[in-house]
Amino acid sequence: MSDNSTTKEAVTCAIRHIGTGIYSSGKIKDFLIRKGYSETVAADAVKHLIDTGYIDDVRASRKVLASRSGKKQESRQYIYRRLLEAGIDPDCADDIAATLGSDDDTCLSLFEASFSYSAGDDLSGQEDDFIRLAQLRGYNIETAGRAFRMYLDSLK
C-alpha cells in the first residue's frame, strides 16, 4: 500500500464497514467508490485489505455457495454468474466454479431436495415439472432429462 493518506483513510473506512462481516473485493471496492474515493484509491485499499486478510474472496464465495444448495441449487453457470454479481474476483470465481459438481449431479441433488417420491410412485407426466424447475435454476433441457432419469433410477 502506498503511503498516500487518502488510501489509508479508505482502508480505515472499509474496515469499519466490514466489521465482522464477510465481503468480497468487488463489493468493498464499489462501497469505497460510492463513498467518494477514486477508482485508484479504492483499488489500492482493496489490494491492501486482501493482502492483510480483511477481504477473502474464497470465503465470500462460500457464503454465496451455501445459499445456493438444496432446493435452491443452481447450475454451474448460474452460480458462476452469481459469484461475479457478488463482487467475487473473476479468477477466484473461475476456480470456485471449477470445483463444483457436474450439472448432472447437482441437478439430481436439486430434484432429491425438491421432490419426495418413493419407489412405486407413478411419475408419468411429472417429467415436465422436474424439467421446468431445472430450467428455472439454469440447467439445460438435456441435463434436466438426464437428471430426471437418474432420479427415476434412484427410486428403484
Side-chain angles (χ1 to χ4, degrees):
M1 180 174 83
S2 67
D3 288 333
N4 183 335
S5 65
T6 307
T7 302
K8 289 180 182 178
E9 183 183 306
V11 167
T12 301
C13 179
I15 290 171
R16 282 189 191 123
H17 179 67
I18 293 168
T20 60
I22 300 172
Y23 290 90
S24 67
S25 58
K27 290 293 183 183
I28 294 301
K29 183 178 176 186
D30 290 345
F31 168 77
L32 291 172
I33 290 169
R34 282 193 319 273
K35 284 292 196 177
Y37 295 100
S38 71
E39 180 107 11
T40 304
V41 168
D44 286 348
V46 166
K47 183 183 178 327
H48 175 74
L49 292 167
I50 290 170
D51 291 346
T52 57
Y54 278 100
I55 296 174
D56 182 354
D57 277 350
V58 172
R59 191 172 65 189
S61 295
R62 280 190 232 123
K63 183 178 165 184
V64 173
L65 293 176
S67 69
R68 304 317 301 171
S69 61
K71 290 183 178 184
K72 294 181 178 182
Q73 179 66 52
E74 294 177 328
S75 70
R76 183 180 289 190
Q77 186 60 38
Y78 266 37
I79 290 176
Y80 177 75
R81 246 187 14 225
R82 196 171 289 277
L83 290 170
L84 294 179
E85 290 168 0
I88 305 299
D89 178 74
D91 291 336
C92 181
D94 286 338
D95 293 344
I96 297 297
T99 67
L100 300 174
S102 74
D103 277 354
D104 286 355
D105 292 338
T106 59
C107 189
L108 174 60
S109 296
L110 170 66
F111 292 162
E112 290 170 343
S114 301
F115 300 100
S116 56
Y117 293 103
S118 55
D121 287 346
D122 181 20
L123 292 177
S124 60
Q126 298 298 313
E127 185 174 8
D128 288 345
D129 294 338
F130 282 76
I131 290 175
R132 192 174 311 115
L133 174 63
Q135 287 180 311
L136 287 172
R137 300 288 195 275
Y139 296 99
N140 64 43
I141 197 163
E142 293 83 15
T143 300
R146 284 191 304 272
F148 179 72
R149 288 187 292 284
M150 289 171 25
Y151 182 79
L152 291 177
D153 289 344
S154 73
L155 296 178
K156 294 179 183 177

